[in-house]
Amino acid sequence: MKNVNVFVDPATRINYTAYYLVGLYDYFGRKNVSFKRSPFSQLFQNREKNDNGEYFNYTAFVVESAGKSTKYIIDFRDSPEVYEHAYRWCDTYAKINVNLDYLSGRKDISKLLSIGPGFSIRIWGKWKTYWHCLQNLRRLNFQPGIYWKTFVRTYENQMEKSYLNQFVNPPRPVSPKRKPYIFTIATLWEHANCQLGTNHLRKQFMTICKNSPLCSFEGGFFFYKKFKGVKDFKELKIKKFVSHPEFLQKTHESALVFNTPSVFNCHGWKLGEFLAMGKAMISSPIINELPEPLQHGENIHLIEDESEMEDAVNYLLTNEAYRKKLEKGAKKYYNDHLAPIRVISNIIGKAHPIKDPVTIRKAVTK
């Protein structure tokens, strides 16, 4: 794309931002995208004093073309809150976890866009990663707005992930199985809604699969001794480290997967990962907005509560044609709405503006 310059704020959480960098590279061309500090000085200065590093939890970028400068925010937090200083600064505020109930009292939503979940990916090799890290620290005068060791750690974390094409395509041909194989691993979260719902729903899915004669199961939970209620999950404790390439390969081989909203009822990385991999997915109700709703029976199998879990697992395990339909639908949804270039295209074109939630409710209840 000629005569366009895109500048990305170097003060960002790179293991989250990498997904959107790929989209910017693909949409504008890699040579037109660079890190630069000066376009974002006002954004940093106007943040609330109690942010305490929250400035680090979104991606800011500026597009300069034909003498015009347009400012964008991509808010990738779990929380439905909007950063007010960032909202005032930008022209478009794209957010993953948009919640209509939370927005019901908000007066101005004209800049707000709903985007689907991204996930952490690797985009650079070892030496290029450290080069970008040091260059961005230098651009920030070694004052990134957070403890600098945390800043460096996000770059190292990026190297522990897999490249996007390894999500979209199996790393190697899937091994044939005598009966359906199911693999799932998860972390136990201490957040209130996870204690009450997420952790137990994941446990139920794992337990059903582990005890089912219809499949072979592998997986469990990562957790720490300080986790409250750890005794309730001991039988599903994972004792050995699972590398990201191993996680990816086994998830590709899994006949089906399970999704549930996580911290603050957010869209977790798993939802984006599963759609990118084209998985047949069972999911509890999705709370936050998506660019377009997922359709039960087309690209996801939705259950209302845990009482429907076992029937759903059994139905998918015994119906290969249905699983294949869900896989095809999931991949199409990813390609249409969640692929990085599609996300950036939608943000630039403002494809999914949030409508007044009060008006939406009135229309639905008529």
Side-chain angles (χ1 to χ4, degrees):
M1 193 173 291
K2 295 181 179 180
N3 303 319
V4 174
N5 289 307
V6 180
F7 300 114
V8 180
D9 189 355
T12 190
R13 192 181 297 268
I14 201 67
N15 54 337
Y16 284 74
T17 299
Y19 192 83
Y20 306 104
L21 272 178
V22 169
L24 291 171
Y25 290 158
D26 290 345
Y27 188 86
F28 292 102
R30 187 177 292 259
K31 67 179 182 180
N32 297 317
V33 180
S34 60
F35 291 100
K36 190 175 182 180
R37 180 55 168 169
S38 56
F40 309 96
S41 57
Q42 186 180 11
L43 174 63
F44 182 79
Q45 292 165 3
N46 289 342
R47 65 178 181 157
E48 283 77 9
K49 292 181 179 179
N50 62 351
D51 274 353
N52 296 322
E54 295 293 338
Y55 178 67
F56 193 52
N57 286 333
Y58 52 76
T59 299
F61 68 96
V62 171
V63 177
E64 295 184 354
S65 178
K68 181 181 178 182
S69 180
T70 309
K71 297 175 286 188
Y72 299 92
I73 293 288
I74 301 177
D75 182 338
F76 44 67
R77 289 179 304 160
D78 298 335
S79 168
E81 295 178 347
V82 170
Y83 286 128
E84 297 301 337
H85 71 282
Y87 192 85
R88 291 191 299 269
W89 173 84
C90 73
D91 297 297
T92 298
Y93 192 101
K95 184 170 177 60
I96 291 175
N97 289 296
V98 173
N99 185 289
L100 290 180
D101 288 330
Y102 183 82
L103 290 174
S104 61
R106 187 179 180 87
K107 294 181 180 179
D108 178 19
I109 56 173
S110 60
K111 300 179 184 180
L112 194 60
L113 298 179
S114 173
I115 58 174
F119 46 92
S120 188
I121 59 173
R122 182 175 184 172
I123 55 173
W124 301 311
K126 179 179 179 180
W127 299 114
K128 198 165 187 178
T129 294
Y130 282 116
W131 184 84
H132 278 293
C133 180
L134 289 172
Q135 288 296 313
N136 282 338
L137 279 171
R138 181 184 60 80
R139 292 182 180 102
L140 297 167
N141 294 319
F142 290 87
Q143 296 178 339
I146 57 150
Y147 191 38
W148 72 267
K149 286 186 178 179
T150 303
F151 184 88
V152 173
R153 178 59 190 144
T154 68
Y155 282 80
E156 293 174 332
N157 181 264
Q158 174 262 159
M159 288 192 292
E160 296 169 1
K161 303 302 181 181
S162 301
Y163 293 101
L164 182 60
N165 65 346
Q166 294 174 299
F167 284 92
V168 176
N169 304 298
R172 62 178 185 268
V174 174
S175 304
K177 304 289 183 183
R178 286 182 295 178
K179 59 181 178 179
Y181 164 78
I182 296 180
F183 172 78
T184 185
I185 57 173
T187 301
L188 288 171
W189 297 102
E190 293 191 282
H191 191 267
N193 75 276
C194 293
Q195 294 270 27
L196 295 173
T198 306
N199 295 336
H200 289 280
L201 284 169
R202 287 174 173 169
K203 177 187 175 182
Q204 186 184 20
F205 175 77
M206 293 179 193
T207 301
I208 289 169
C209 295
K210 185 177 180 180
N211 296 332
S212 174
L214 298 174
C215 66
S216 59
F217 172 78
E218 181 182 2
F221 286 102
F222 292 113
F223 57 86
Y224 306 96
K225 290 182 180 179
K226 67 178 183 179
F227 181 82
K228 296 177 182 178
V230 71
K231 63 180 184 298
D232 296 332
F233 300 88
K234 274 188 174 181
E235 71 276 13
L236 289 166
K237 180 179 180 180
I238 294 176
K239 297 181 180 179
K240 74 167 189 172
F241 174 73
V242 178
S243 69
H244 202 268
E246 183 182 1
F247 155 78
L248 204 55
Q249 174 62 36
K250 291 183 175 181
T251 304
H252 272 297
E253 294 188 14
S254 188
L256 57 97
V257 294
F258 175 68
N259 171 72
T260 185
S262 187
V263 178
F264 292 110
N265 290 314
C266 73
H267 302 309
W269 279 350
K270 286 184 182 295
L271 178 57
E273 291 172 342
F274 293 157
L275 290 168
M277 287 189 273
K279 301 306 300 178
M281 188 188 334
I282 297 171
S283 179
S284 63
I286 292 172
I287 307 299
N288 292 339
E289 295 298 296
L290 286 167
E292 294 292 338
L294 286 161
Q295 299 294 326
H296 175 72
E298 295 296 326
N299 42 38
I300 197 168
H301 186 96
L302 292 167
I303 59 173
E304 287 298 321
D305 54 47
E306 61 187 42
S307 67
E308 299 179 4
M309 179 87 74
E310 187 166 7
D311 286 344
V313 170
N314 291 339
Y315 182 68
L316 266 71
L317 285 175
T318 56
N319 194 329
E320 184 177 4
Y322 182 60
R323 293 204 309 269
K324 296 298 182 185
K325 180 183 179 182
L326 294 181
E327 290 171 358
K328 184 177 180 181
K331 180 69 78 173
K332 185 178 187 306
Y333 186 94
Y334 168 80
N335 288 333
D336 289 348
H337 301 292
L338 302 186
I341 189 172
R342 182 66 68 181
V343 175
I344 296 301
S345 176
N346 286 344
I347 291 171
I348 299 300
K350 300 183 181 180
H352 303 288
I354 295 301
K355 307 298 184 184
D356 180 0
V358 175
T359 302
I360 290 174
R361 285 197 192 86
K362 287 180 179 177
V364 169
T365 55
K366 279 183 179 179

